[in-house]
Amino acid sequence: MLDISWGEIAVLTSAGLLLIGRKDLPIASHAVGQQLGRIVGLLQGARLRADRFATDHQLKQLQNEFRSGLRELDAVKAELAGSMMGNRGGGLMGGAG
């Protein structure tokens, strides 16, 4: 995600120390940490919502496939029932016998 080395952190800390001052650096660091925590929380929430959406979407897709399979089975069942009714009226030999 973020690729920051310890050297970069040291440079940023020393620059912050020079620009902000020793007295205000802990307050500024605390404020930055709080904001970063909020951002991380928002990103985690967004990821969770995206995962839920994907799961719900996959479940709906699976339900649609299942319903389609049931419709196909009903069609086959009706076709078999129709063919059985046709065979009963004429028999296996076509009515000759």
Side-chain angles (χ1 to χ4, degrees):
M1 199 163 137
L2 291 175
D3 191 24
I4 299 175
S5 69
W6 286 107
E8 292 170 337
I9 291 173
V11 169
L12 290 174
T13 304
S14 61
L17 183 63
L18 290 174
L19 294 174
I20 296 173
R22 293 176 73 185
K23 186 176 181 181
D24 295 329
L25 187 62
I27 297 168
S29 298
H30 180 72
V32 169
Q34 281 185 329
Q35 295 302 318
L36 284 175
R38 287 181 184 160
I39 290 170
V40 168
L42 288 173
L43 290 175
Q44 286 177 343
R47 182 177 180 185
L48 182 64
R49 286 189 296 274
D51 287 343
R52 283 184 188 159
F53 175 76
T55 302
D56 290 345
H57 181 69
Q58 289 174 350
L59 182 60
K60 287 179 183 178
Q61 184 180 6
L62 186 61
Q63 286 174 339
N64 289 338
E65 290 176 10
F66 182 70
R67 287 181 181 145
S68 174
L70 286 177
R71 281 192 293 267
E72 290 176 14
L73 285 175
D74 285 341
V76 169
K77 180 178 152 184
E79 188 176 318
L80 285 174
S83 67
M84 293 298 285
M85 293 302 284
N87 284 341
R88 284 188 187 167
L92 291 175
M93 303 299 277

